[in-house]
Amino acid sequence: MADIEEPEKRDSREKMKRNITVFRGIAFVVGTVMGTGIFITPNSITQRVNAPATSILVWLTGGVMAAIGGLVFCELGTMIPVSGAEVAYISRIFGRQPAFLSVWLIHFLLGGMRLAIGALGFAQYFWSLFYEDPSQVNWWLDKAVTLTVSYLIVVLVTCKPTLILKSIVLFTAAKFTATFLIIGAGLYYLCKGHTENIGVGFQNTNTDPKDWGDAWNGVIWSYMGWEEICCVASEIQNPQKNIPIIVLGSISIITGLYLMTVISFHIVLPLEEMVESSAVASKFGEITMGESGKVLLALAVVVSTLGNLQCSFITNSRYIHSGAAEGLLPSCFGLVSKKFHTPLVSILYCCLVTTVFILIGGIDNLIGSASFTRFPFFVLCSAGVFVMRRSHPDLHRPYRVPLIFPALFICFGLFVFITPFLNESWLVSLVWVVVLLLGVPIYHITLGNVLNLQFLAKLNSSSTALFVRLFQSSTRSRVSTFQQALAAVLDGTEDKYGRN
């Protein structure tokens, strides 16, 4: 087993190696974003808006908002250059309680949901290679293959992080090849005069706000990941300079490819087939290139989702590790492998939660729950730009975002969060809001220790010591309690905004 290094008063994120260059960072973000979304959600988005031109407009707007969000996070990420993205930013700007709620809901509970969606998307296209209807696959066999692939990725993410970074570049190159095939085939059909499908334009556009809310959920899910590079800021070479380059470069590439891909889908596929086909890429390949094209594009999606899973396991485990470094989660989640320099306990926890969601969930239900829950905290981060400009105007900012952008992103985030309550799935959204609010008493009982439960501190220390012994590691210092870990970050060797 890997050796584990116990968190000390110095932020354990500093122990991670800076392996991520600009090229790897762009490949990392593209690999995170371009996974299952562009191949699974176009049919549901088209179904909701009911017009090809409207569908394209929705995708374009999603790219614009992702770019705006990326610019907001560029200022925060270069001003506070530590791993954890919104967890670290909210903690330093607004305090521990809202940061804890972010960790509690988005990363500690729902992070595995995103991983499960990627794994289930992989399985869906994998089985389309052998079955006309993937739903015909035996449930046990389907789950066994999905879990096996997920566990293999966990091993690689834990033991070979540098190899993962190199493989991400290869998977991204494979995605580009597949995407260019789709775009090339679409342009070929267009040049041959096939405009009957996309020529429908905005006709019969559905204006029901409930259906538009569902369409936005799919678009948001497909673009989700634009912020992920900021969660590994401690592993980026020269983060103040490279984070803006990585964010803007990757979002520009993703938006362009998404738009051209969706346009190609609408050129080739009639509206009815776009709505009915869950495996849009396979159907596209069958129409344009025959059976071989169907197999080729199905394999491309399989490769795409594998790269997406790798990136997502890396980022979500860093979110949880950052939560422990901020003193918001038990210190055992802050343990870092001495041998591999990876947050092993956080990775194993992500694996456990992912397993649960793979076994109990379906793709459509999981996407509906996962897409809107991040935005309250994105809104809080955007508001944090205004707060920091007012409270710390002289703080060094390698990049300054125009204030109109965080204002627009706040409005967009509120829209995304509110619209799910207008449709039939409002009860599911309400359940997640209740789960979020449960984090408030949990925070005060654990971190606030309002009931003076001394056994919680002992449980935290003993559990961390157990993990250290379990993975055959010698302790280097006394295990920190939640409060001690937070004090080390905010008042110790590191200043409030992440600089030594």
Side-chain angles (χ1 to χ4, degrees):
M1 303 294 283
D3 291 346
I4 295 295
E5 186 171 338
E6 193 179 322
E8 303 173 283
K9 288 188 176 181
R10 187 174 181 178
D11 192 336
S12 61
R13 287 169 289 194
E14 297 178 8
K15 300 184 177 75
M16 297 183 187
K17 293 182 177 179
R18 295 190 180 273
N19 292 319
I20 301 178
T21 62
V22 169
F23 183 67
R24 287 180 178 178
I26 291 176
F28 181 92
V29 176
V30 173
T32 301
V33 175
M34 291 188 66
T36 56
I38 188 60
F39 303 112
I40 291 176
T41 60
N43 71 314
S44 62
I45 293 169
T46 304
Q47 182 182 15
R48 298 295 188 271
V49 299
N50 199 41
T54 311
S55 169
I56 295 168
L57 180 62
V58 168
W59 283 93
L60 173 61
T61 309
V64 171
M65 296 314 301
I68 290 175
L71 292 173
V72 171
F73 270 62
C74 278
E75 174 165 334
L76 295 173
T78 54
M79 182 174 59
I80 310 173
V82 297
S83 294
E86 72 260 34
V87 177
Y89 310 151
I90 293 172
S91 177
R92 284 161 169 76
I93 298 172
F94 296 103
R96 292 189 299 169
Q97 181 168 320
F100 173 80
L101 295 179
S102 173
V103 174
W104 161 252
L105 180 65
I106 306 304
H107 309 305
F108 199 65
L109 295 181
L110 296 184
M113 184 182 291
R114 178 178 184 177
L115 297 168
I117 293 171
L120 292 170
F122 160 84
Q124 180 174 305
Y125 270 88
F126 174 79
W127 293 121
S128 73
L129 293 168
F130 308 102
Y131 294 86
E132 188 67 27
D133 182 7
S135 64
Q136 298 174 350
V137 181
N138 177 272
W139 187 90
W140 292 104
L141 179 61
D142 179 41
K143 300 303 181 183
V145 170
T146 305
L147 290 173
T148 299
V149 170
S150 300
Y151 295 156
L152 288 174
I153 290 175
V154 167
V155 172
L156 290 175
V157 168
T158 302
C159 302
K160 296 290 183 180
T162 303
L163 178 62
I164 286 291
L165 290 172
K166 293 178 181 179
S167 70
I168 286 171
V169 176
L170 296 177
F171 281 122
T172 302
K175 292 177 189 181
F176 284 154
T177 301
T179 305
F180 290 149
L181 280 175
I182 294 175
I183 295 170
L187 291 177
Y188 175 74
Y189 263 61
L190 183 63
C191 291
K192 290 182 66 176
H194 290 285
T195 60
E196 63 275 10
N197 297 324
I198 198 169
V200 175
F202 292 97
Q203 295 178 24
N204 301 319
T205 294
N206 181 11
T207 58
D208 189 336
K210 298 178 183 179
D211 290 325
W212 274 75
D214 289 338
W216 276 112
N217 272 332
V219 169
I220 291 160
W221 168 254
S222 300
Y223 277 102
M224 195 70 75
W226 49 264
E227 79 292 348
E228 300 288 17
I229 196 65
C230 295
C231 84
V232 291
S234 294
E235 299 171 68
I236 298 173
Q237 297 174 4
N238 193 5
Q240 283 86 355
K241 175 184 177 182
N242 290 340
I243 285 179
I245 298 174
I246 292 171
V247 170
L248 292 177
S250 59
I251 292 175
S252 299
I253 292 170
I254 292 163
T255 302
L257 291 177
Y258 272 10
L259 286 177
M260 296 178 72
T261 302
V262 172
I263 290 171
S264 296
F265 284 151
H266 283 294
I267 290 172
V268 173
L269 298 174
L271 190 64
E272 296 77 13
E273 292 195 22
M274 278 288 293
V275 170
E276 294 173 0
S277 177
S278 59
V280 176
S282 295
K283 189 66 177 179
F284 179 94
E286 184 178 7
I287 292 176
T288 57
M289 295 174 278
E291 188 66 25
S292 60
K294 174 184 177 180
V295 173
L296 177 63
L297 289 181
L299 286 173
V301 176
V302 167
V303 172
S304 176
T305 52
L306 285 176
N308 178 269
L309 268 177
Q310 291 179 0
C311 294
S312 297
F313 264 109
I314 290 174
T315 54
N316 197 66
S317 62
R318 267 58 173 186
Y319 276 125
I320 294 176
H321 173 267
S322 182
E326 297 288 346
L328 301 173
L329 291 175
S331 54
C332 62
F333 291 107
L335 297 174
V336 176
S337 168
K338 288 180 179 178
K339 182 176 182 180
F340 303 119
H341 301 281
T342 53
L344 179 56
V345 178
S346 296
I347 292 173
L348 294 178
Y349 176 79
C350 289
C351 179
L352 174 63
V353 178
T354 301
T355 299
V356 173
F357 280 117
I358 286 174
L359 293 175
I360 68 174
I363 277 188
D364 292 337
N365 293 332
L366 294 179
I367 288 178
S369 298
S371 59
F372 88 103
T373 51
R374 290 287 291 274
F375 272 86
F377 305 103
F378 287 163
V379 167
L380 203 56
C381 287
S382 299
V385 173
F386 292 97
V387 172
M388 293 300 292
R389 291 284 185 92
R390 183 177 179 85
S391 62
H392 294 79
D394 299 326
L395 193 65
H396 177 59
R397 293 171 173 84
Y399 174 80
R400 295 175 68 92
V401 63
L403 291 180
I404 185 63
F405 288 160
L408 287 173
F409 201 69
I410 289 172
C411 295
F412 177 72
L414 292 175
F415 169 79
V416 168
F417 183 73
I418 292 172
T419 50
F421 294 96
L422 302 178
N423 58 34
E424 294 78 6
S425 62
W426 66 270
L427 186 58
V428 176
S429 301
L430 181 61
V431 168
W432 286 118
V433 171
V434 172
V435 173
L436 170 64
L437 295 178
L438 284 175
V440 176
I442 291 174
Y443 168 83
H444 287 290
I445 291 172
T446 56
L447 294 175
N449 199 21
V450 294
L451 300 180
N452 195 27
L453 301 177
Q454 297 297 325
F455 78 91
L456 290 177
K458 295 180 180 178
L459 179 62
N460 178 46
S461 298
S462 60
S463 62
T464 305
L466 175 63
F467 276 107
V468 171
R469 292 194 298 270
L470 179 63
F471 295 108
Q472 302 176 359
S473 173
S474 61
T475 59
R476 295 178 57 184
S477 63
R478 188 170 62 85
V479 178
S480 302
T481 64
F482 293 153
Q483 292 82 357
Q484 289 170 331
L486 183 71
V489 175
L490 302 184
D491 303 319
T493 58
E494 187 181 71
D495 76 11
K496 187 175 182 180
Y497 303 106
R499 296 177 299 275
N500 291 322

